Every structure is written in C-alpha cells, then in structure tokens.
Amino acid sequence: LIQKAGGNISKLYASKGRLEHIVKLNTLSRYPDNPWDEFIAPNGYIFTSPLWILAHELGHRWGIYIKYSNEYGEPSDILLDGTKTHFQFFMNSGGSPLEGNTIIESSPSHFFTLAPKHPGFFGTLELYLMGFISSDMVEDSFVILNPNITADVHAKGELYFTGKKHSAVIDTVIQTNGKRFPSHKLSPKHFRCGFILFETNEFMASDEMILKVERYRKAFQSYWFFVTKGYSTLETKLSL
C-alpha cells in the first residue's frame, strides 16, 4: 500500500469507521470571500486560491510519502521536501497541488521554472498513488539534484538554474515502494466530504460566514473533479 500509514481515529469522531480523513483549515477570516481568488497567507506565501489549499490538504490522504532511488541506487527522499510530505521545489511535478514545479530543460544541465498555473492538476504519479489510474499511465519525470540556487517557495515567475537531472519513473517508484494496493481497479474514486464551521460561546457564526462556507463547498466539488483530471469525484452535500 503506497500511502501514509496511520491509525484509525474514526472512533474519536463517532463515525463507526466511515471517516477516512480530516482537514483543519484554521479561521475562516484567513480566506477571501471568493474561493477562486488568489490571496496572500500570513507567512507571505501567495496561494492561487483557497480551493488549491483544499486540494493540497485533501491530497495528503494519499501522498506524497514515497521513497525513490538516489544516484547511488539507494532508497531516499530525493523527491520530497524537508517535511517528507510534499514534492521538493526541484521536482518536475507539473505544478501539482502537492507542490514541486513545472521545470523546463532549456539545454543540458540548464533549467527554468514556469509560473504556477491556476489551477494546477495532480500529476499522473499522484493520480497513481491515489489509486485513480494504472501504473502504465504514469508519465516519466525528473528531479534536479545539486541545483546552483536555493529553493524559493515564494517565487511567482521564472527561475533559472543549473543542476543534475535525475529521472523519476514509475518502475523505480514501484521497485522502491512496492505496487499500490489496492490497485486502481479496486480503489475508491468517489468520495463524500463534509464542510463544518465551528462556533463557540465567544465566536458565533454569522449568516455571512455560513454563506461563505457554502460557496467553498459548492466550488470544491467541481474543482476536485477538475484537478484530478476527471478520474475522481467528490460529493460535498451530505445527507443526515
């Protein structure tokens, strides 16, 4: 099973085993009224939209937690950042919600990044890890080793750098981690997702706040279908 190993905490939420994942997104006031709008987080990071953050956090249900062979043939974390939960800056992920970049090789050992697209799709590697597609549909990619610049997660435009191109192919992913189980033929592709706005005695939800959450809920259902390239669906309207 290529996904993060974790305990079943569904009992804590009285879900009787149905709950698979929880995303906590801090206070509602951090986000713009329009779920499609670009905004700046308190740490200065520029996000393409709150929907991107939702896709990013929900994507952690499956990745990125894989090992990959380094230049010496040893299992390593060369595809990942320091948290070992995202693609690293110099991974050519196509601008995935799970990070990385779209990297173009202009000449041997010379590369540049493209500005983030809105929205960024999950790449075929992520879709495989999610169980949405078969391994033979995963496109070859690469990661840059020993780049001559420091990763700049705040970068919005093109960055030029040199480094060593190291292939990232599905056969090596499977060789290092094993095959995904269950396979794409048996893994779920339709999910149900609820949105909850918490209030306390000191913090009461206003009608405007509830409408804001409702806009996010409706938008994310179509956004998820889009960023998974139509391989997965998400139902955000739950029946009691």
Side-chain angles (χ1 to χ4, degrees), residues 129-162:
L129 297 176
M130 292 170 163
F132 299 162
I133 65 173
S134 62
S135 60
D136 59 8
M137 296 176 66
V138 178
E139 300 169 351
D140 293 347
S141 190
F142 57 87
V143 62
I144 307 303
L145 305 180
N146 305 316
N148 69 331
I149 64 171
T150 302
D152 182 3
V153 296
H154 296 276
K156 288 290 291 179
E158 296 178 355
L159 288 179
Y160 292 82
F161 56 94
T162 61

Side-chain angles (χ1 to χ4, degrees), residues 28-124:
L28 187 62
S29 59
R30 283 178 173 239
Y31 304 100
D33 288 337
N34 187 338
W36 294 92
D37 281 354
E38 181 180 274
F39 72 103
I40 301 175
N43 63 359
Y45 191 94
I46 301 175
F47 289 100
T48 55
S49 77
L51 296 175
W52 183 94
I53 295 178
L54 280 167
H56 170 101
E57 297 299 345
L58 186 54
H60 280 312
R61 167 68 178 81
W62 299 274
I64 300 292
Y65 312 113
I66 57 173
K67 297 287 185 179
Y68 195 81
S69 295
N70 61 21
E71 53 191 328
Y72 306 106
E74 303 166 338
S76 73
D77 299 313
I78 60 171
L79 303 186
L80 309 180
D81 69 358
T83 69
K84 299 180 182 179
T85 58
H86 313 98
F87 284 129
Q88 62 133 306
F89 186 86
F90 297 102
M91 170 65 184
N92 180 41
S93 68
S96 167
L98 289 172
E99 304 192 18
N101 265 295
T102 300
I103 300 176
I104 306 298
E105 184 175 20
S106 55
S107 62
S109 300
H110 289 75
F111 309 89
F112 65 91
T113 62
L114 295 181
K117 295 180 179 179
H118 177 58
F121 297 100
F122 286 110
T124 52

